[in-house]
Structures are given as structure tokens and as C-alpha cells.
Amino acid sequence: MPGFPSYDDCVIWYETTGEGAPLVVLPGGPGMDVRYLGELAGVGRGRRLVRVDARAAGRSGVPADRGTVSFVAQARDLEALRVHLGLERFQLLAHSAGCLTAQEYLAAFPGRVTGAVLVAPVGRAGREPDERELAALRAGRAGEPWYRDAAEADRLLAEGERGAELAALQRRILPFFWYRWTADRSAEYPAEYACAHPWLREAFYAGSADERTLAERVARLGAAATPVLVLAGAADGMVGTAPARAVAAAHPGSRLEVLEQSGHRPWVEEPERFAALVGEFLALSEQWH
């Protein structure tokens, strides 16, 4: 199994395919196995694609210190991976919660990344969905045949922890996360790729900014001056587009693209558009450096 001991000897799993400029890929969740990303609409063609499972996720090890699972701490794993692979610089693509780790890395280790693609980010230094936008997005699906069941599950989840019912309720709201929900979309969520640890979500977001520190943290992101492409799905009922807009504003000179016929996984719903946008950006960011 390809893996290496990170700074604290926690084994981080990764796989490398292809040849060319290195593109490191971080999954979301938090805590999901990187394999859920599939082929990412082929953006790895002509590149050395390095797909990484975060600590305590997928095939990576579980650290003794849960504090090292925060997205802030996980930036150190990315730096350890760079050193392990012998890379001077590389390109980076992250999805959803993984975009927090990616942005922290850009700020903590400036100059290492030549271009970053942030897909459906959850925020800048923590989760930042606009609840009014999410409510409007979900209400706008009222004509869908699945709406009544998903809306009921959403209401129950909003009431708080549901114990043994939690996983089933979370699956019932999945249609909100897609532009077009069909029965075969369920196959996009294999149980073996899901987060395996109930404590992980809280540990991951423990690094989030609060009202006192947010401005300073956002300013720190902007100082990194890394070329950034931000992609969002217009129908993303998981996080909406507000976090992506905030992320783009935090990185001077970034480019924001909202894919009109996509939800939280645009590489599945608009693969050609996704591949074109990412491929163009990565090619340009190589030229800039």
C-alpha cells in the first residue's frame, strides 16, 4: 500500500497515476475516501495525479491525537507529502471541506503551489453557508417527486442528533445536493467511502475561525497570492454558492465560475465544462510559473 509516515508518524495513504506536472487531489467530507471523486472528468490526463486520503479517512491511519485532524493541522500532512514525493512545487485540487485544508496550506506554505482549484468550497476558514440561500435553493425544488421526503428528513435533521436514524436521514436529503437527481445517483455514495468516525467532523472543524479571528485569517489567505480557480454548482443545496463567492473574494485575482447545471459534484453533472475549465486554468498556471 502506498503510504508514508507524516510528521507525527501517522501513515498518510496516497496513490500516483500518470506522468507530467503533479496535481495533488484532496477529498471532502470531511473524512471521505478520496475514491469517491472518481476520474474527475479526466482532468488527470497528461498529469501526474496524486490522490490523497486525509488522516483518519479512507486508507490513511488514525492518529492518537485527534487534534491533528483539524483542517489547520492537516496542512502539515500536505507539506510532508510534498517533501516525501520530492516536489519543489505542485498544483492542487480540492473538493468541499478539503478546500479548507487546501487554503490553509496556501497560507502556511506560500510559494509551494503554482495553481489551486477549489471545487464547491464550504468556506474560507470554516463552514460559511448562507442559510437563506440554502433555504431558497431547497424550496425551489418543491416540484420534484422526491421533495416531500427530502424536506421531511431535512426538518428532522434540523431538530438535532437522531442517533441510529442519522445516516438514513442524511441519505434522504441527498437529492438537494444535485441539479438533477436520478435513482442511479445513489451509487455515487458507496458506504465504504463514507466517514468512519463519528468524532471526526467536530475534530476537523475545530480549526475554524470565529468572529474575533475571521478577518485576520481571511487576510492571511489573501497574502498567499496563489492563482486560484473557484468552481461552484448553481444548484448546490449542500453549501450553496455563497461560500465559493467568499472564497474567490479572499484570493486576489482568483477566478470564479458557477456551473448552472450542477450541484455539489460538478465533475459528474457537467464533466465537459468542468474538464475544460480546470484544464485551461492548470495549463495557464503552469505558464505563469
Side-chain angles (χ1 to χ4, degrees):
M1 179 182 75
F4 74 98
S6 192
Y7 64 91
D8 60 350
D9 291 329
C10 180
V11 175
I12 303 299
W13 186 97
Y14 70 96
E15 75 172 350
T16 302
T17 57
E19 299 291 337
L23 174 62
V24 176
V25 176
L26 303 181
M32 292 182 67
D33 188 304
V34 72
R35 287 175 288 184
Y36 82 87
L37 293 170
E39 297 301 316
L40 282 170
V43 298
R45 296 190 188 103
R47 297 183 176 84
R48 181 185 180 190
L49 195 66
V50 184
R51 294 191 283 192
V52 186
D53 275 331
R55 59 175 55 214
R59 292 147 291 180
S60 286
V62 179
D65 180 1
R66 293 182 180 178
T68 64
V69 176
S70 80
F71 67 84
V72 173
Q74 286 198 39
R76 296 180 64 186
D77 291 329
L78 192 50
E79 176 63 2
L81 174 67
R82 183 194 67 80
V83 173
H84 172 75
L85 295 176
L87 304 176
E88 181 179 357
R89 293 187 291 189
F90 61 95
Q91 296 176 313
L92 181 61
L93 185 151
H95 178 234
S96 194
C99 295
L100 292 175
T101 303
Q103 291 176 93
E104 175 62 24
Y105 183 79
L106 299 182
F109 300 94
R112 301 300 193 191
V113 174
T114 59
V117 180
L118 305 178
V119 183
V122 299
R124 298 164 296 181
R127 280 183 59 84
E128 297 181 288
D130 182 328
E131 295 301 333
R132 289 176 297 180
E133 181 192 28
L134 283 181
L137 282 169
R138 296 184 181 190
R141 312 302 295 275
E144 301 281 0
W146 46 260
Y147 176 79
R148 181 174 296 182
D149 182 68
E152 173 67 8
D154 190 36
R155 182 186 66 79
L156 292 171
L157 286 169
E159 293 176 355
E161 180 66 49
R162 306 295 298 188
E165 298 178 335
L166 183 60
L169 290 173
Q170 289 172 334
R171 293 191 72 84
R172 286 168 59 188
I173 67 169
L174 291 177
F176 284 130
F177 306 162
W178 294 80
Y179 172 78
R180 182 175 291 107
W181 175 260
T182 56
D184 60 350
R185 294 293 190 218
S186 295
E188 294 286 334
Y189 301 90
E192 62 268 29
Y193 295 171
C195 179
H197 307 291
W199 52 265
L200 189 145
R201 184 178 181 84
E202 181 178 355
F204 180 85
Y205 285 114
S208 299
D210 56 27
E211 292 182 357
R212 296 178 298 103
T213 61
L214 180 59
E216 179 181 352
R217 295 273 292 273
V218 170
R220 179 170 167 266
L221 296 180
T226 304
V228 172
L229 170 65
V230 184
L231 300 178
D236 187 348
M238 174 182 279
V239 298
T241 65
R245 298 179 193 281
V247 167
H251 296 273
S254 66
R255 177 181 176 185
L256 170 67
E257 292 284 347
V258 178
L259 285 76
E260 293 300 324
Q261 297 183 21
S262 290
H264 199 60
R265 299 188 180 191
W267 66 92
V268 177
E269 297 202 274
E270 293 185 74
E272 293 182 0
R273 177 70 172 149
F274 179 87
L277 288 168
V278 174
E280 176 190 35
F281 172 79
L282 293 177
L284 285 173
S285 66
E286 288 173 1
Q287 295 175 14
W288 294 332
H289 290 271

